[in-house]
Amino acid sequence: SEFEEEQHLAPPGILMIQEAWRPGAVESFRVGAWRLYMIGHAIHSRGDGTGIAVHQDITVMEWRHVHPRITMIRVPLGRKHMAIFSACAPCTQRITPQVEEFYQVLDDAITNAANKGDVTILGGDW
């Protein structure tokens, strides 16, 4: 509902969303002139979900949830493509297996995008 209220203030573009409080595990839905690609948690719907909002004027070639804390879209960029990652890093001061997994999955996804020749943008809550 907050996004629905604010969408008219943002010019056409791409917005990265972190700490999405969504009950659905994987969702894609329209809010006005925007499509939201979101991930949440079916049981614990608060805190670590991510998403990307894309204005209807922008073509999304691919979208997926790379990890429960990472959402990715791929859009045309001239003769190339751009891979955009929205991430919500685990909040901890210790290195745990979950933290290591998050950064390994993120590194692999960025490397994969680079190997395709994609321009890569990474944003989020670190």
Side-chain angles (χ1 to χ4, degrees):
S1 64
E2 287 179 38
F3 184 80
E4 194 167 16
E5 292 172 13
E6 298 289 334
Q7 69 170 316
H8 304 290
L9 302 175
I14 298 171
L15 304 171
M16 294 179 210
I17 302 166
Q18 293 79 43
E19 298 185 30
W21 294 16
R22 301 293 307 162
V26 175
E27 301 177 293
S28 170
F29 55 94
R30 184 164 298 283
V31 176
W34 296 78
R35 171 148 310 269
L36 279 73
Y37 302 95
M38 308 275 302
I39 189 166
H41 195 287
I43 298 169
H44 306 288
S45 63
R46 300 180 66 156
D48 59 2
T50 61
I52 300 176
V54 182
H55 192 270
Q56 67 188 4
D57 292 345
I58 298 170
T59 302
V60 175
M61 305 297 293
E62 172 187 355
W63 74 276
R64 63 188 163 95
H65 300 294
V66 178
H67 180 275
R69 292 175 167 267
I70 305 167
T71 302
M72 182 276 280
I73 63 168
R74 191 169 188 238
V75 299
L77 180 67
R79 296 171 66 177
K80 292 186 168 201
H81 290 89
M82 181 168 43
I84 301 169
F85 296 89
S86 176
C88 184
C91 297
T92 181
Q93 295 179 359
R94 299 176 313 145
I95 301 298
T96 66
Q98 293 82 10
V99 171
E100 288 180 347
E101 175 197 14
F102 169 83
Y103 285 104
Q104 185 61 55
V105 168
L106 182 59
D107 185 61
D108 291 347
I110 291 169
T111 299
N112 185 36
N115 288 341
K116 291 179 183 178
D118 289 357
V119 172
T120 303
I121 295 177
L122 171 62
D125 184 354
W126 302 101

